[in-house]
Amino acid sequence: MDDGSRRSPSDPSARANDEASLQALIDVLRVATRHDNLLMRPAFDEVAEALGRHIPFTRLAVMTYEPEGGRVYAMTRDVHDAVVPFGQLFPIFADEERLRALHADVFYCDDTRLGTDLDRRTGEAGMLSYLTLPIGPVRPEVQALLVLAFPAVAQARTTPLPLLREVGALFGRNFARAMASARQRRLAMILETSGDAMLAWDQGGRITDANAAAAGLTGVARAALIGSPIADLFGEVPDPARSQDGVRLELAVRGPGSATKAIVSATITAVHDDPQVAAHALLRDRSAVALAEREAELHLGRVRELEQEHSSLLDMSASSAPRRPSASCS
């Protein structure tokens, strides 16, 4: 493939191609500036749409070859067969020579119908040629590839490589931030959907964050919790030094027109490296358990009272019973 390096600078077709590639790169960069994580599906689809206005590919994907196998982190322009679904881990090629070729430089498959099992599945899905371009080791143990598939045999070879190298480099630079962002998003989703209430407060005892379960437990909307004193909920600012291993606390609960107390199991941890958070707490409602324990104590107390009453009745019966005359000997 002649990517333009052998053409004369005065060649009108070369200038046109360069201008088209520059415009394509500008369109892709405009998308990249709006997103921290280009591997999230909406952002990736925007990148693919911007690039697709200049290159007639059928599918664009970023794939990684990890120790566990290959993973498709993003793809677009779905056809009738997904081949490898978004985010799925799949077995990598057993052919080590081919793997080395994939990661050495641009790799072309001119006719997928004549390739590996995965290639043939790609061909059956209507993509008859593709190219892969390494985008560098995104982590020491992970290699990543930019993949473009096309509907015609050998069509991949018509793609302007300088443009694709720039796009690949863009994904490569974004990869570490994208993985960190995705992990933070997953953790945030776990915290937000957790059934356990979570609260954090600053050095001044003002609540800095709360999840949905905390709002449900306290009866206070999350927006109203943020900035309010944690002492309003517990009567004082909980001390992490006394609560690391879990303690029972009374928590103020606001209901419709009334306020009650809930018994919670609290694990409170001090935070020393965040200027906005002095401590965070994991709370689990134990009101039902506390109520059951109180009912059990009352029941046990009643059983003991009955036992004492029964014992007293037996003693009274024994003392009031008539004595039989003793037998005499003649």
Side-chain angles (χ1 to χ4, degrees), residues 189-211:
M189 290 176 65
I190 291 171
L191 294 177
E192 189 60 24
T193 58
S194 171
D196 293 329
M198 299 180 193
L199 291 167
W201 56 92
D202 61 16
Q203 295 288 349
R206 296 280 176 176
I207 296 174
T208 56
D209 211 348
N211 67 350

Side-chain angles (χ1 to χ4, degrees), residues 30-75:
R30 283 175 177 166
V31 174
T33 58
R34 298 197 303 270
H35 300 278
D36 288 333
N37 185 353
L38 296 180
L39 299 183
M40 293 296 292
R41 190 61 184 265
F44 190 86
D45 282 352
E46 284 189 42
V47 170
E49 182 180 352
L51 191 61
R53 290 195 290 269
H54 305 274
I55 299 177
F57 59 82
T58 301
R59 177 169 294 172
L60 174 70
V62 169
M63 298 169 55
T64 62
Y65 283 76
E66 306 174 21
E68 304 82 16
R71 188 184 302 276
V72 176
Y73 276 95
M75 64 171 56

Side-chain angles (χ1 to χ4, degrees), residues 70-110:
R71 188 184 302 276
V72 176
Y73 276 95
M75 64 171 56
T76 192
R77 293 195 169 186
D78 294 332
V79 287
H80 69 274
D81 184 355
V83 185
V84 179
F86 181 88
Q88 179 173 309
L89 193 69
F90 61 95
I92 60 176
F93 303 117
D95 186 347
E96 293 185 4
E97 183 177 347
R98 177 153 192 211
L99 280 178
R100 285 194 296 271
L102 284 173
H103 293 290
D105 196 8
V106 61
F107 175 88
Y108 292 102
C109 178
D110 290 329

